Amino acid sequence: MNKILTAFTIFCIIGLISSCKKEQVTSPTNNEETPTNPISTTSETMFNVRMTDAPLGVEEVNIDLELVILFGSDDNRDSIGLGTNAGVYNLLDFQNGLDTLIASSMITLDTVKQVRLILGEDNTIKVDGVLHDLKTPSAQQSGLKIKVDVALDSLSIYNLILDFDANESVHQTGNDKWMLKPVIKVL
C-alpha cells in the first residue's frame, strides 16, 4: 500500500510541475500596457495600432487624431472603429525608435485591408517658434487611407506600426501655408 501511495504522490508532483509553465509576455515600447490574450479559443484578435516618425527639420508636426477605423474587405463594407486614444499628437515626439499606442480593440476580422485615420481640425506645424495651420485635405471626412493586407488567422495579438514620415509628408505651399500629404509606411 505504501508503494502505491508513493507512486501516486510522485505522479501528482510530476503532473503539477509540467502544468506550471511560465507565461512569456513581451512589454510594449514606452512602458504602455497592451492587453494580452496569449491563448485564443475564439477567432478574435487584439489589434493594436502604433505610430512612429522619421526625423524632420521643424519643431513640431501636430495631428489631431479623432478615430482609427479598420476595413476588412476591398469594398469597405466590413468596418470596425477601434478604441482610439484621441488627441493631438506631435509626430516628432515619436522619432528614433519611439512609438505610441493610438488604438486598440479586440476584432473578429480575418483580414484587414485598410486602416483609416480620421483627423480633426487642430493640425499644426511649428517652424522657427511660429505655429501654422497644417491643412489635411479629406482627412476630416474620409480619413487618411493606408492600404494594408494583413491576415489575422489564428493570431491572438497583432501590432501594426505606422511609420509617419513627416519629412516627406509636410509641404510648404506658399504664403506661409502648410499642407499634409501623408507618407506612411506600414511596419
Side-chain angles (χ1 to χ4, degrees):
M1 182 70 172
N2 202 10
K3 289 182 181 181
I4 295 173
L5 184 58
T6 303
F8 179 75
T9 304
I10 291 172
F11 178 76
C12 289
I13 290 172
I14 291 171
L16 181 63
I17 291 171
S18 66
S19 67
C20 294
K21 293 181 182 175
K22 185 174 181 180
E23 181 179 339
Q24 181 181 1
V25 177
T26 59
S27 60
T29 59
N30 293 348
N31 295 325
E32 296 171 12
E33 292 191 23
T34 301
T36 59
N37 183 14
I39 300 173
S40 179
T41 58
T42 66
S43 61
E44 283 190 328
T45 300
M46 173 56 68
F47 197 92
N48 299 313
V49 180
R50 306 184 76 81
M51 183 171 56
T52 188
D53 180 37
L56 173 69
V58 299
E59 297 159 51
E60 294 178 12
V61 177
N62 302 301
I63 62 164
D64 181 11
L65 180 67
E66 291 188 348
L67 182 63
V68 177
I69 303 172
L70 300 181
F71 291 89
S73 61
D74 287 325
D75 59 9
N76 295 335
R77 284 186 287 157
D78 299 328
S79 66
I80 296 175
L82 297 182
T84 304
N85 298 324
V88 175
Y89 290 87
N90 178 3
L91 296 177
L92 304 186
D93 288 342
F94 310 111
Q95 295 179 338
N96 302 318
L98 298 176
D99 64 35
T100 189
L101 181 67
I102 61 172
S104 182
S105 289
M106 292 298 292
I107 63 170
T108 56
L109 297 172
D110 292 331
T111 302
V112 175
K113 295 286 190 176
Q114 186 182 100
V115 176
R116 285 193 195 176
L117 306 179
I118 307 298
L119 301 184
E121 296 182 10
D122 293 328
N123 304 293
T124 58
I125 185 168
K126 189 174 190 180
V127 182
D128 297 327
V130 179
L131 209 56
H132 303 273
D133 286 336
L134 184 59
K135 300 297 178 197
T136 56
S138 76
Q140 288 88 7
Q141 294 84 25
S142 61
L144 302 177
K145 299 171 186 166
I146 304 151
K147 296 276 188 198
V148 296
D149 192 7
V150 176
L152 301 176
D153 300 335
S154 304
L155 295 177
S156 58
I157 299 174
Y158 187 85
N159 289 302
L160 178 76
I161 299 178
L162 302 177
D163 184 0
F164 207 116
D165 190 343
N167 190 41
E168 294 292 321
S169 301
V170 176
H171 305 281
Q172 189 172 16
T173 62
N175 297 333
D176 256 353
K177 304 277 184 200
W178 293 85
M179 178 148 323
L180 179 69
K181 292 182 180 178
V183 175
I184 301 172
K185 297 174 192 160
V186 177
L187 305 177

